[in-house]
């Protein structure tokens, strides 16, 4: 009986030691692309890399059937701004072609994504290829995903940019 108590006591001590020596690790990366709950988020790799959470709307223009233009920024040092737009005015000379769907982001395509860095190194990364997929749009809503290869205007460096726009209402200060 005494041996059982000693073994139980030793087992409890070992178990508590193991429990106290482990640490909790959260599976979600707090800076990961899925952790942003703001109007837009993006991940970049290449010439610059990081995860960005755009919390301030700067621009929004919607012309039913022809144009959607969205701009937002992430404050900090440096400041990052994001532009996502689709303009179907020039496609075949017809109006009314903009509907939810996927649009290319090449030189002669309707889609456009730009990531701008304001700080020590000012640079404008403009889309060269890739696509934007619009899932919802109206005069006060814009939901889209994008995955583009951009090129720096000044340095020519390439940056892969992917992300989402989840604008549920117009809120431009």
């Amino acid at each position: 009986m005494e041996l059982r108590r000693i073994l139980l006591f030793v087992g409890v001590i070992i178990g508590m030691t193991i429990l106290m020596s482990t640490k909790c690790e959260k599976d979600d990366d707090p800076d990961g692309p899925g952790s942003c709950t703001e109007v837009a988020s993006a991940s970049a790799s290449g010439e610059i890399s990081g995860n960005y959470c755009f919390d301030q709307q700067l621009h929004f223009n919607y012309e039913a059937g022809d144009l959607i233009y969205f701009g937002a920024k992430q404050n900090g040092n440096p400041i990052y701004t994001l532009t996502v737009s689709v303009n179907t005015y020039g496609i075949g000379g017809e109006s009314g072609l903009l509907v939810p769907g996927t649009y290319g982001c090449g030189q002669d395509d309707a889609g456009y994504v730009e990531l701008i860095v304001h700080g020590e190194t000012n640079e404008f990364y403009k889309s060269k290829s890739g696509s934007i997929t619009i899932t919802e749009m109206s005069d006060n809503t814009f939901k889209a995903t994008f995955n583009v290869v951009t090129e720096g205007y000044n340095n020519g460096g390439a940056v892969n940019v992917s992300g989402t726009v989840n604008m549920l209402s117009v809120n431009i200060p």
Side-chain angles (χ1 to χ4, degrees):
M1 187 65 132
E2 196 65 36
L3 183 58
R4 282 186 181 174
R5 285 186 182 186
I6 292 173
L7 288 175
L8 178 63
F9 180 73
V10 169
V12 169
I13 295 296
I14 290 173
M16 290 189 64
T17 303
I18 291 171
L19 188 62
M20 290 172 51
S21 66
T22 61
K23 62 181 180 179
C24 284
E25 292 188 26
K26 196 173 181 181
D27 289 338
D28 298 331
D29 176 8
D31 297 323
S35 65
C36 179
T37 59
E38 300 297 340
V39 294
S41 65
S43 293
S45 63
E47 183 77 19
I48 61 169
S49 63
N51 295 314
Y52 309 101
C53 189
F54 301 92
D55 59 346
Q56 184 178 352
Q57 291 180 32
L58 297 175
H59 312 284
F60 182 70
N61 186 14
Y62 175 71
E63 296 175 23
D66 295 317
L67 168 76
I68 192 155
Y69 180 87
F70 168 83
K73 79 175 180 176
Q74 171 184 296
N75 287 310
N77 189 14
I79 295 171
Y80 293 93
T81 59
L82 174 73
T83 300
V84 178
S85 71
V86 177
N87 181 349
T88 61
Y89 281 136
I91 299 176
E94 293 182 47
S95 182
L97 297 177
L98 182 62
V99 296
T102 300
Y103 298 87
C105 291
Q107 183 174 357
D108 295 324
D109 291 327
Y112 180 78
V113 174
E114 181 177 54
L115 180 64
I116 302 173
V117 182
H118 305 276
E120 260 183 52
T121 58
N122 293 323
E123 186 58 276
F124 305 86
Y125 293 95
K126 300 173 181 268
S127 57
K128 298 298 274 180
S129 65
S131 64
I132 298 170
T133 300
I134 298 173
T135 55
E136 188 177 331
M137 62 183 166
S138 70
D139 58 350
N140 62 1
T141 302
F142 182 37
K143 291 185 180 184
T145 59
F146 54 90
N147 188 359
V148 296
V149 175
T150 64
E151 181 178 58
Y153 179 77
N154 297 315
N155 68 13
V159 177
N160 298 317
V161 182
S162 61
T164 61
V165 176
N166 192 29
M167 189 193 87
L168 303 176
S169 65
V170 177
N171 186 17
I172 298 173

